[in-house]
Amino acid sequence: MDRDQAADAAPARILIVEDVAADAELVLHELQRSGLAFTHRHVQTEGALRDALRSFVPHIVLSDHSLPQFNASDALRVVRQEAPTTPVIIVTGSLDEETAAEYMKAGAADYIVKHRLQRLGPAVRRALALRRAFADAARADAARTRSEQRFRKLVEYSSDVITLLDAAGRIIYTTQALRPTLGYEHGELMGHDVFALVHPDDLANAVALFQAVEASRQSVVRGALRARHKDGSWRDLEVVGANHLDDPVVNAIVVNYRDVSDRKRAEAALRALEEQHRQAQKMEAVGRLASGVAHDFNNLLTAILGSTDLLLEELAADHPGRLEAEETRKAALRAADLTRQLLAFSRQQVLAPQVLDINEVVTHVDKMLRRVIGEQIELRIVQAADLGAARADAGQLEQVLLNLAVNARDAMPRGGRLTIETANADLDDTYAAAHAVVAPGRYVMFAVSDTGTGMNAETQTRLFEPFFTTKEKGKGTGLGLATVYGIVKQSGGHIWVYSEPGQGTTMKVYLPRVEEAIEPITAPARPSGPLRGSETILIVEDQDEVRNLTRRLLEARGYRVLVAASGADALRIADQEAGRIDLLLTDVIMPGMSGREVALLLGPARPHMRVLFVSGYTDDSIVHHGVLDPGVAFLQKPFTSQTLAQKVREVLDAPRDP
């Protein structure tokens, strides 16, 4: 074990940049609670930070957003100067979305809000794991570099073919290796002009190389060019030339060369794979930020929507304030749609997957697509007759098709043709090797192609990033394709883009094929009776505004409501309640005790109590890979008064298991 590896095995060294001692203690307490083995140092100034980076050599830096003399941006800058591989996590009381995004762009590993410190332990572990992975990669690169250097020393002047040229560039001798390299027999090229073998685009370079060799009497000259194989193909050659015209024995220009075509292709493939890996890592980091922002916004939007709904119920139709209240509600719903898109991108949606015929999904959304794209665009649908089945959420796949169609429409402002095609696809090892995140296997594919403006390579690398758009300001949020990416990834699939400027674009989505029977697409059932009741409901919610608002919404519909601000509070209230509790309505993610734990602890004593989980963020306690556990009722924040009332009645009226 070398020194770096030994350091990685020791307790984590954590440097805390914080000017409030109480907040630093909270951070330490949360790290200890998470079970992380660590040592730490606490600094408050830039000078102390620089000194600690050199003397303490931390594995990770936790920095507050705002300090008296400098802020987290300064801390990021200093860390990048002094210890560029050390991850930095921003830990702060509050931060707006734009500033948070700037921190992530500047290189922060994550962003933690102080009132949700339970995310700190996992975030630190992820950052440390990423740091170790980078360190391992760096060590491997260094070892590979040393090996390559030794190899170059051994083979500095060797090559597959040796050719002798006269002063005019005519071939006067070649070794036997000419045949496996360029396909010509030994002696077949005697007297030929060597430049006749060179690719036209490389001819000027070949002439310059030859002239440089002629002018040199003491050293070799190296270059690269393409030469024609006897079969007409072009081969990439590495060339080493030396002038031995003055040597009475050799009396020639000696050219050593080897075929590096395979290596060039392998290097290009490796660069492509590395770029795919870097892009996947970047998308993962942005996704973590997006999901955290969406969660915090969902709580705020729940309070705004519910309060507005209550206000609208009180205002008469001709009340002067009703119009403003309705506009507020519309704006909140638009904001809720944005948070849903962020959750989709970060793969934090709750899905309802079923075994689908993708052809049926395309047919189901056909009329909507025709309305969206307009009459100036021709819609062409090509469906495979023997299409296999895939497991996915039908509604989410319809959203994918709609977003791709809208994006294609915007790329064809003067009209064109939009083609949706379905097919079976078998992705082999060769395809998987060229696409870093793809496993070989059988897939169902659907593609959306347009005849629009197309995209350059730079745009394609950023295509699925949230808030990235090439449209003018006010014409798009940059979340449509980010939503598509998240839905496809959460469904276990892959999406690839094929495009060139002026040549249109094709988006191909691959979903794993399954052999199970196809299930019909059905709309969810809604309660048919009045959305009111007199049952007793226990609300468990740590956010004051959401808890109070939910209580008011349910009481307005006749329910008897008990409220608790934490899991412990809920257990105490339930213990004191002598009567029946018909429904436990609990947030999933809360400090101290999760909603799932509350339900498990209350369940044995109250077997008739129904449970409805509410959250703006998915959690492994009730979902796995975004799919609800069987029999679990879930309501996504933000919700309106109507959706809350419908879901409560749906859960209360659901038939009990026999």
Side-chain angles (χ1 to χ4, degrees), residues 498-571:
Y498 305 86
S499 185
E500 292 182 17
Q503 301 300 314
T505 299
T506 295
M507 298 278 195
K508 290 188 175 182
V509 175
Y510 295 91
L511 298 174
R513 205 182 322 176
V514 299
E515 300 302 328
E516 303 165 50
I518 292 173
E519 305 169 45
I521 300 174
T522 57
R526 296 192 177 276
S528 56
L531 301 178
R532 301 181 59 83
S534 58
E535 292 92 340
T536 297
I537 300 176
L538 172 57
I539 299 173
V540 189
E541 168 64 62
D542 62 307
Q543 296 289 325
D544 293 345
E545 63 274 15
V546 178
R547 182 175 65 253
N548 294 331
L549 188 278
T550 307
R551 174 185 58 78
R552 292 165 58 201
L553 289 174
L554 292 174
E555 286 180 343
R557 294 184 179 271
Y559 297 101
R560 177 173 176 261
V561 180
L562 308 173
V563 293
S566 66
D569 197 18
L571 297 181

Coordinates of all heavy atoms in Angstrom, one line a residue, residues 498-571:
Y498 N -28.5 11.8 -32.7 CA -27.7 11.8 -34.0 C -28.1 13.0 -34.8 O -29.3 13.2 -35.2 CB -28.0 10.5 -34.8 CG -27.8 9.3 -34.0 CD1 -28.8 8.7 -33.2 CD2 -26.6 8.6 -34.0 CE1 -28.6 7.6 -32.4 CE2 -26.4 7.4 -33.3 CZ -27.4 6.9 -32.5 OH -27.2 5.8 -31.8
S499 N -27.1 13.9 -35.0 CA -27.5 15.2 -35.6 C -26.3 15.8 -36.3 O -25.1 15.7 -35.8 CB -28.1 16.2 -34.6 OG -28.6 17.3 -35.2
E500 N -26.5 16.6 -37.3 CA -25.5 17.5 -37.9 C -26.2 18.8 -38.3 O -27.4 18.8 -38.7 CB -24.9 16.8 -39.2 CG -24.0 15.6 -38.9 CD -23.4 15.0 -40.1 OE1 -23.4 15.7 -41.2 OE2 -23.0 13.8 -40.1
P501 N -25.5 19.9 -38.3 CA -26.1 21.2 -38.7 C -26.6 21.1 -40.1 O -26.0 20.6 -41.1 CB -24.9 22.2 -38.6 CG -24.0 21.5 -37.6 CD -24.1 20.1 -37.8
G502 N -27.9 21.5 -40.2 CA -28.6 21.5 -41.5 C -29.1 20.1 -42.0 O -29.7 20.0 -43.1
Q503 N -28.8 19.1 -41.2 CA -29.2 17.7 -41.7 C -30.3 17.1 -40.8 O -30.5 15.9 -40.9 CB -27.9 16.8 -41.7 CG -26.8 17.3 -42.6 CD -27.3 17.4 -44.0 OE1 -27.9 16.5 -44.5 NE2 -27.0 18.5 -44.7
G504 N -30.9 17.9 -39.9 CA -31.9 17.3 -39.1 C -31.4 16.6 -37.9 O -30.1 16.5 -37.6
T505 N -32.3 16.0 -37.1 CA -31.9 15.3 -35.8 C -32.7 14.1 -35.6 O -33.9 14.0 -36.0 CB -32.1 16.3 -34.6 OG1 -31.3 17.4 -34.8 CG2 -31.8 15.6 -33.3
T506 N -32.1 13.0 -35.1 CA -32.8 11.8 -34.7 C -32.5 11.5 -33.2 O -31.3 11.5 -32.8 CB -32.4 10.6 -35.5 OG1 -32.8 10.8 -36.9 CG2 -33.1 9.3 -35.0
M507 N -33.5 11.4 -32.4 CA -33.4 11.0 -31.0 C -33.9 9.5 -30.9 O -35.0 9.2 -31.2 CB -34.3 11.8 -30.1 CG -33.9 13.3 -30.1 SD -32.5 13.6 -29.0 CE -32.6 15.4 -29.0
K508 N -33.0 8.6 -30.5 CA -33.3 7.2 -30.3 C -33.4 6.8 -28.8 O -32.4 7.1 -28.1 CB -32.3 6.3 -31.0 CG -32.4 6.4 -32.5 CD -31.5 5.4 -33.2 CE -31.7 5.4 -34.7 NZ -30.8 4.3 -35.4
V509 N -34.5 6.3 -28.4 CA -34.7 5.8 -27.0 C -34.7 4.3 -27.0 O -35.5 3.7 -27.8 CB -36.0 6.4 -26.4 CG1 -36.2 5.8 -25.0 CG2 -35.9 7.9 -26.4
Y510 N -33.9 3.7 -26.2 CA -33.8 2.2 -26.0 C -34.3 1.8 -24.6 O -33.8 2.3 -23.6 CB -32.4 1.7 -26.2 CG -31.9 1.9 -27.6 CD1 -31.2 3.1 -27.9 CD2 -32.0 1.0 -28.6 CE1 -30.6 3.3 -29.2 CE2 -31.5 1.2 -29.9 CZ -30.8 2.3 -30.2 OH -30.3 2.5 -31.4
L511 N -35.3 1.0 -24.5 CA -35.8 0.5 -23.3 C -35.6 -1.1 -23.3 O -35.9 -1.7 -24.3 CB -37.3 0.8 -23.1 CG -37.7 2.3 -23.1 CD1 -39.2 2.4 -23.1 CD2 -37.1 2.9 -21.9
P512 N -35.2 -1.6 -22.1 CA -35.0 -3.1 -22.1 C -36.3 -3.8 -22.4 O -37.4 -3.5 -22.0 CB -34.6 -3.3 -20.6 CG -34.1 -2.0 -20.1 CD -34.9 -1.0 -20.9
R513 N -36.1 -4.9 -23.3 CA -37.3 -5.7 -23.7 C -37.6 -6.7 -22.6 O -36.7 -7.3 -22.0 CB -36.9 -6.4 -25.0 CG -38.2 -6.8 -25.8 CD -37.8 -7.5 -27.1 NE -36.6 -7.1 -27.8 CZ -36.1 -7.7 -28.8 NH1 -36.7 -8.7 -29.4 NH2 -35.0 -7.2 -29.4
V514 N -38.9 -7.0 -22.4 CA -39.3 -8.0 -21.4 C -40.2 -9.0 -22.1 O -40.8 -8.7 -23.2 CB -40.1 -7.3 -20.2 CG1 -39.2 -6.4 -19.4 CG2 -41.3 -6.6 -20.7
E515 N -40.3 -10.1 -21.5 CA -41.1 -11.2 -22.2 C -42.5 -11.4 -21.5 O -43.2 -12.4 -21.8 CB -40.3 -12.5 -22.1 CG -39.0 -12.5 -22.8 CD -39.1 -12.1 -24.3 OE1 -40.1 -12.5 -24.9 OE2 -38.2 -11.4 -24.8
E516 N -42.9 -10.5 -20.6 CA -44.2 -10.7 -19.9 C -45.3 -10.2 -20.8 O -45.1 -9.5 -21.8 CB -44.1 -9.9 -18.6 CG -43.0 -10.3 -17.7 CD -42.8 -9.2 -16.6 OE1 -43.7 -8.8 -16.0 OE2 -41.6 -8.8 -16.4
A517 N -46.5 -10.6 -20.4 CA -47.7 -10.2 -21.2 C -48.0 -8.7 -21.1 O -47.8 -8.1 -20.0 CB -48.9 -11.0 -20.6
I518 N -48.4 -8.1 -22.2 CA -48.7 -6.7 -22.2 C -49.9 -6.4 -21.4 O -50.9 -7.1 -21.5 CB -48.8 -6.2 -23.7 CG1 -47.4 -6.3 -24.4 CG2 -49.4 -4.8 -23.8 CD1 -47.5 -6.1 -25.9
E519 N -49.9 -5.3 -20.7 CA -51.0 -4.8 -19.9 C -51.7 -3.6 -20.6 O -51.0 -2.7 -21.1 CB -50.6 -4.4 -18.5 CG -49.8 -5.5 -17.7 CD -49.2 -4.9 -16.5 OE1 -49.8 -4.2 -15.7 OE2 -48.0 -5.2 -16.2
P520 N -53.0 -3.6 -20.6 CA -53.7 -2.4 -21.3 C -53.4 -1.1 -20.5 O -53.3 -1.1 -19.3 CB -55.2 -2.8 -21.3 CG -55.3 -3.8 -20.1 CD -54.0 -4.5 -20.1
I521 N -53.4 0.0 -21.3 CA -53.2 1.3 -20.7 C -54.6 1.8 -20.2 O -55.5 1.9 -20.9 CB -52.6 2.3 -21.7 CG1 -51.3 1.8 -22.2 CG2 -52.5 3.7 -21.1 CD1 -50.7 2.7 -23.3
T522 N -54.7 2.0 -18.9 CA -55.9 2.5 -18.3 C -55.7 3.7 -17.5 O -54.6 3.9 -16.8 CB -56.5 1.4 -17.4 OG1 -55.6 1.0 -16.3 CG2 -56.9 0.2 -18.2
A523 N -56.7 4.6 -17.4 CA -56.6 5.8 -16.7 C -56.9 5.5 -15.2 O -57.7 4.6 -14.9 CB -57.6 6.9 -17.2
P524 N -56.2 6.2 -14.2 CA -56.5 5.9 -12.8 C -57.9 6.2 -12.4 O -58.5 7.2 -12.9 CB -55.5 6.8 -12.1 CG -55.1 7.8 -13.1 CD -55.2 7.2 -14.4
A525 N -58.5 5.4 -11.6 CA -59.9 5.6 -11.1 C -59.9 6.8 -10.1 O -59.0 7.0 -9.3 CB -60.4 4.4 -10.4
R526 N -61.0 7.6 -10.2 CA -61.1 8.7 -9.3 C -62.4 8.5 -8.4 O -63.3 7.9 -8.9 CB -61.3 10.0 -10.1 CG -60.0 10.4 -10.9 CD -60.1 11.8 -11.4 NE -58.9 12.2 -12.1 CZ -57.8 12.6 -11.5 NH1 -57.8 12.7 -10.2 NH2 -56.7 12.9 -12.2
P527 N -62.4 9.0 -7.2 CA -63.5 8.8 -6.3 C -64.8 9.4 -7.0 O -64.8 10.5 -7.6 CB -63.1 9.6 -5.0 CG -61.7 9.7 -5.1 CD -61.3 9.7 -6.5
S528 N -65.9 8.7 -6.9 CA -67.1 9.1 -7.5 C -68.0 9.9 -6.6 O -68.9 10.7 -7.0 CB -67.9 7.9 -8.0 OG -68.1 7.0 -7.0
G529 N -67.9 9.8 -5.3 CA -68.7 10.5 -4.3 C -68.2 11.8 -3.9 O -67.2 12.3 -4.5
P530 N -68.8 12.5 -3.0 CA -68.4 13.8 -2.5 C -67.0 13.7 -1.9 O -66.7 12.8 -1.2 CB -69.5 14.2 -1.5 CG -70.1 13.0 -1.0 CD -70.0 12.0 -2.2
L531 N -66.2 14.8 -2.1 CA -64.8 14.8 -1.6 C -64.8 15.4 -0.2 O -64.1 16.3 0.2 CB -63.9 15.6 -2.5 CG -63.9 15.0 -3.9 CD1 -63.0 15.9 -4.8 CD2 -63.4 13.6 -3.9
R532 N -65.7 14.8 0.7 CA -65.7 15.3 2.1 C -65.8 14.0 3.0 O -65.9 12.9 2.6 CB -67.0 16.1 2.3 CG -67.1 17.4 1.5 CD -68.3 18.2 1.8 NE -68.4 18.6 3.2 CZ -67.8 19.7 3.6 NH1 -67.0 20.4 2.8 NH2 -67.9 20.0 4.9
G533 N -65.7 14.3 4.3 CA -65.8 13.2 5.3 C -65.8 13.7 6.7 O -65.5 14.8 7.0
S534 N -66.0 12.7 7.6 CA -66.0 13.1 9.0 C -65.0 12.2 9.8 O -64.9 12.2 11.0 CB -67.4 12.8 9.6 OG -67.8 11.4 9.4
E535 N -64.1 11.5 9.1 CA -63.1 10.6 9.7 C -62.0 11.5 10.4 O -61.9 12.7 10.2 CB -62.4 9.7 8.7 CG -63.4 8.7 8.1 CD -64.0 9.1 6.8 OE1 -64.1 10.4 6.6 OE2 -64.5 8.3 6.0
T536 N -61.3 10.8 11.3 CA -60.2 11.4 12.0 C -58.9 11.1 11.3 O -58.6 10.0 10.9 CB -60.1 10.8 13.4 OG1 -61.3 11.1 14.1 CG2 -58.9 11.4 14.2
I537 N -58.1 12.2 11.0 CA -56.9 12.1 10.3 C -55.8 12.7 11.1 O -55.9 13.8 11.7 CB -57.0 12.9 8.9 CG1 -58.1 12.3 8.1 CG2 -55.7 12.9 8.2 CD1 -58.3 13.1 6.8
L538 N -54.7 12.0 11.2 CA -53.5 12.4 11.9 C -52.5 12.9 10.9 O -52.0 12.1 10.1 CB -52.9 11.3 12.8 CG -51.5 11.6 13.4 CD1 -51.5 12.9 14.3 CD2 -51.0 10.4 14.2
I539 N -52.1 14.2 10.9 CA -51.1 14.8 10.0 C -49.8 14.8 10.7 O -49.7 15.4 11.8 CB -51.6 16.2 9.5 CG1 -52.9 16.1 8.8 CG2 -50.5 16.8 8.7 CD1 -53.5 17.5 8.5
V540 N -48.7 14.3 10.0 CA -47.4 14.4 10.6 C -46.5 15.1 9.5 O -46.3 14.6 8.4 CB -46.8 13.0 10.9 CG1 -45.5 13.2 11.6 CG2 -47.8 12.2 11.6
E541 N -46.1 16.3 9.8 CA -45.4 17.2 8.8 C -44.5 18.1 9.6 O -44.9 18.8 10.5 CB -46.4 17.9 8.0 CG -45.8 19.0 7.1 CD -44.8 18.5 6.1 OE1 -45.3 17.8 5.2 OE2 -43.6 18.9 6.2
D542 N -43.2 18.1 9.3 CA -42.2 19.0 10.0 C -42.2 20.4 9.5 O -41.7 21.3 10.2 CB -40.8 18.4 9.9 CG -40.3 18.3 8.5 OD1 -41.0 17.8 7.6 OD2 -39.2 18.8 8.2
Q543 N -42.7 20.7 8.3 CA -42.8 22.1 7.8 C -44.1 22.7 8.3 O -45.2 22.3 8.0 CB -42.8 22.1 6.3 CG -41.5 21.5 5.7 CD -40.3 22.4 5.9 OE1 -40.5 23.7 5.8 NE2 -39.2 21.9 6.1
D544 N -43.9 23.8 9.1 CA -45.0 24.5 9.8 C -46.1 24.9 8.8 O -47.3 24.6 9.0 CB -44.6 25.7 10.6 CG -43.7 25.3 11.8 OD1 -43.7 24.1 12.1 OD2 -43.0 26.2 12.3
E545 N -45.7 25.6 7.7 CA -46.7 26.2 6.8 C -47.5 25.1 6.1 O -48.7 25.2 5.9 CB -46.0 27.1 5.8 CG -45.0 26.5 4.9 CD -43.6 26.4 5.5 OE1 -43.5 26.6 6.7 OE2 -42.6 26.2 4.7
V546 N -46.8 24.0 5.7 CA -47.4 22.9 5.1 C -48.4 22.1 6.0 O -49.5 21.8 5.7 CB -46.4 21.9 4.5 CG1 -47.1 20.7 3.8 CG2 -45.5 22.6 3.4
R547 N -47.9 21.9 7.3 CA -48.8 21.2 8.3 C -50.0 22.0 8.5 O -51.1 21.5 8.5 CB -47.9 21.1 9.5 CG -48.7 20.3 10.6 CD -47.8 20.0 11.8 NE -47.4 21.3 12.5 CZ -46.2 21.8 12.5 NH1 -45.2 21.2 11.8 NH2 -45.9 22.9 13.1
N548 N -49.9 23.3 8.8 CA -51.1 24.1 9.1 C -52.0 24.2 7.9 O -53.2 24.2 8.1 CB -50.6 25.5 9.6 CG -49.8 25.5 10.9 OD1 -50.1 24.6 11.7 ND2 -48.9 26.4 11.1
L549 N -51.5 24.4 6.7 CA -52.3 24.5 5.5 C -53.1 23.2 5.3 O -54.3 23.2 5.0 CB -51.4 24.8 4.3 CG -52.0 25.2 3.0 CD1 -52.4 24.0 2.2 CD2 -53.2 26.1 3.2
T550 N -52.4 22.0 5.4 CA -53.1 20.7 5.2 C -54.2 20.6 6.2 O -55.3 20.1 5.9 CB -52.1 19.6 5.3 OG1 -51.0 19.8 4.4 CG2 -52.7 18.3 4.9
R551 N -54.0 20.9 7.5 CA -55.0 20.8 8.5 C -56.2 21.7 8.1 O -57.4 21.2 8.1 CB -54.5 21.3 9.8 CG -55.5 21.4 10.9 CD -55.0 22.0 12.2 NE -54.4 23.3 12.0 CZ -55.2 24.4 11.9 NH1 -56.5 24.3 12.0 NH2 -54.6 25.6 11.8
R552 N -56.0 22.9 7.6 CA -57.1 23.8 7.3 C -57.9 23.2 6.1 O -59.1 23.3 6.0 CB -56.6 25.2 7.0 CG -56.0 25.9 8.2 CD -55.2 27.1 7.8 NE -55.9 28.1 7.0 CZ -55.4 29.0 6.2 NH1 -54.1 29.0 6.1 NH2 -56.1 29.8 5.5
L553 N -57.2 22.7 5.1 CA -57.8 22.1 3.9 C -58.7 21.0 4.3 O -59.9 20.8 3.8 CB -56.8 21.7 2.9 CG -56.0 22.8 2.1 CD1 -54.9 22.1 1.3 CD2 -56.9 23.6 1.3
L554 N -58.3 20.1 5.2 CA -59.1 18.9 5.5 C -60.2 19.3 6.5 O -61.3 18.7 6.4 CB -58.1 17.9 6.2 CG -57.1 17.2 5.2 CD1 -56.2 16.3 6.0 CD2 -57.8 16.5 4.1
E555 N -59.9 20.2 7.4 CA -61.0 20.6 8.3 C -62.1 21.3 7.5 O -63.3 21.1 7.8 CB -60.5 21.6 9.4 CG -59.7 20.8 10.4 CD -59.1 21.8 11.5 OE1 -59.1 23.0 11.3 OE2 -58.7 21.3 12.6
A556 N -61.8 22.0 6.4 CA -62.8 22.7 5.6 C -63.7 21.7 4.9 O -64.8 22.0 4.5 CB -62.1 23.6 4.6
R557 N -63.2 20.4 4.8 CA -64.0 19.4 4.2 C -64.6 18.4 5.2 O -65.1 17.3 4.8 CB -63.2 18.6 3.1 CG -62.8 19.5 2.0 CD -62.0 18.7 0.9 NE -61.6 19.6 -0.2 CZ -62.4 19.8 -1.3 NH1 -63.6 19.3 -1.4 NH2 -62.0 20.6 -2.2
G558 N -64.7 18.8 6.5 CA -65.4 18.1 7.5 C -64.6 17.1 8.3 O -65.2 16.5 9.2
Y559 N -63.4 16.9 8.0 CA -62.6 15.9 8.8 C -62.2 16.4 10.1 O -62.0 17.6 10.3 CB -61.4 15.5 8.0 CG -61.7 14.8 6.6 CD1 -61.6 15.6 5.4 CD2 -62.0 13.5 6.6 CE1 -61.8 15.0 4.2 CE2 -62.3 12.9 5.4 CZ -62.2 13.6 4.2 OH -62.5 13.0 3.0
R560 N -62.1 15.5 11.1 CA -61.5 15.8 12.4 C -60.0 15.6 12.2 O -59.5 14.5 11.8 CB -62.0 14.9 13.5 CG -61.4 15.1 14.9 CD -62.1 14.3 15.9 NE -61.5 14.4 17.2 CZ -60.6 13.5 17.7 NH1 -60.4 12.4 17.0 NH2 -60.1 13.7 18.9
V561 N -59.1 16.6 12.6 CA -57.7 16.6 12.2 C -56.9 16.7 13.5 O -57.1 17.6 14.3 CB -57.4 17.7 11.2 CG1 -55.9 17.6 10.9 CG2 -58.2 17.6 10.0
L562 N -55.9 15.8 13.6 CA -54.9 15.9 14.7 C -53.5 16.2 13.9 O -53.3 15.7 12.8 CB -54.7 14.6 15.4 CG -56.0 14.0 16.0 CD1 -55.7 12.6 16.5 CD2 -56.6 14.9 17.1
V563 N -52.7 17.0 14.6 CA -51.4 17.4 13.9 C -50.2 17.1 14.8 O -50.3 17.3 16.0 CB -51.5 18.9 13.5 CG1 -52.5 19.2 12.4 CG2 -51.7 19.8 14.7
A564 N -49.1 16.7 14.1 CA -47.9 16.5 14.8 C -46.7 17.0 14.0 O -46.7 16.9 12.7 CB -47.7 15.0 15.0
A565 N -45.8 17.6 14.6 CA -44.6 18.3 13.9 C -43.5 17.3 13.7 O -42.5 17.7 13.1 CB -44.2 19.5 14.7
S566 N -43.5 16.1 14.3 CA -42.4 15.2 14.2 C -43.0 13.8 14.5 O -44.1 13.6 14.9 CB -41.3 15.5 15.2 OG -41.8 15.3 16.6
G567 N -42.1 12.8 14.2 CA -42.5 11.4 14.4 C -42.8 11.1 15.9 O -43.8 10.5 16.3
A568 N -41.9 11.7 16.8 CA -42.1 11.5 18.2 C -43.4 12.1 18.7 O -44.1 11.6 19.5 CB -40.9 12.0 19.0
D569 N -43.6 13.3 18.2 CA -44.9 14.0 18.5 C -46.1 13.2 18.1 O -47.1 13.1 18.8 CB -44.9 15.4 17.8 CG -45.9 16.3 18.4 OD1 -46.4 16.1 19.5 OD2 -46.2 17.3 17.7
A570 N -46.0 12.5 16.9 CA -47.1 11.7 16.4 C -47.4 10.5 17.3 O -48.5 10.2 17.6 CB -46.8 11.3 15.0
L571 N -46.3 9.9 17.8 CA -46.5 8.7 18.7 C -47.2 9.1 20.0 O -48.0 8.4 20.5 CB -45.1 8.1 18.9 CG -44.4 7.5 17.7 CD1 -43.1 6.9 18.2 CD2 -45.2 6.5 17.0

